[in-house]
Amino acid sequence: MITAQVLPTPIGSLSLLTREGVLVAAGFTADPTEMFARLTPALQSEGLEAVDDLGAPAEAVRAYFEGDLDALDAVPVSQPGSATRKRLHEALREVRAGTTVSYAQLAEAAGLPRTAARAAGSACAQNLIAPFVPCHRVLPSTGGYGGYYYGVPVKEWLLAHENPQKLS
């Protein structure tokens, strides 16, 4: 069974979905079924149940928004993808709060050539576990914020929260 909790945050509701204590989806939506629909058919077949408290993942979210910017790092996550995509998602989790990388730098951090920036962008676009897998910390080398599944204003807010001196 997939269990879900919706938490209020300063930038809107955040839905968390877990399976056996491991986060399988998270996103800035008040409707966890939106995240559930993005899961694999195998996970969807387990069903979805709303709960009042997911425990550690919910505590990590509260701590993160209260200023403990490393709180999300300890929460175990799992999402589908090719070996390359999994390496890119793992490399994303190594990008520390308050810092950003380019898509080419993310590719390099995952052991790929810098020319794999498109693959890095695709991994960010397909990320099911925001902000725990912090694709908001990846910016285009050409400047600006690039895209973000939940909207550029959410990306900008998260970056400012993590590094208020740089972006305020």
Side-chain angles (χ1 to χ4, degrees):
M1 178 67 62
I2 307 300
T3 52
Q5 180 181 0
V6 179
L7 293 162
T9 78
I11 49 174
S13 298
L14 179 64
S15 289
L16 306 179
L17 281 67
T18 64
R19 180 179 184 270
E20 298 176 1
V22 175
L23 202 60
V24 294
F28 291 96
T29 175
D31 182 0
T33 62
E34 289 179 26
M35 298 307 304
F36 186 73
R38 296 180 68 198
L39 296 177
T40 63
L43 287 177
Q44 288 180 19
S45 72
E46 295 184 20
L48 179 67
E49 176 186 11
V51 297
D52 291 332
D53 186 10
L54 286 175
E59 286 303 315
V61 167
R62 289 184 195 100
Y64 171 81
F65 284 104
E66 288 170 2
D68 179 358
L69 301 179
D70 298 324
L72 305 179
D73 299 344
V75 176
V77 301
S78 176
Q79 61 183 316
S82 66
T84 298
R85 179 158 295 158
K86 287 180 182 287
R87 286 192 351 237
L88 286 159
H89 286 157
E90 288 169 14
L92 265 172
R93 289 204 89 189
E94 297 301 318
V95 179
R96 302 285 34 107
T99 66
T100 59
V101 297
S102 70
Y103 293 99
Q105 290 170 322
L106 177 61
E108 269 189 331
L112 303 170
R114 290 180 67 81
T115 54
R118 275 188 180 275
S122 176
C124 288
Q126 298 301 316
N127 177 23
L128 297 177
I129 311 177
F132 294 80
V133 177
C135 53
H136 64 276
R137 297 178 188 153
V138 183
L139 302 175
S141 59
T142 55
Y145 288 96
Y148 189 61
Y149 190 87
Y150 301 101
V152 173
V154 173
K155 183 175 188 171
E156 289 177 299
W157 192 98
L158 291 168
L159 291 172
H161 173 65
E162 294 178 354
N163 193 350
Q165 300 82 13
K166 184 174 183 181
L167 298 171
S168 59

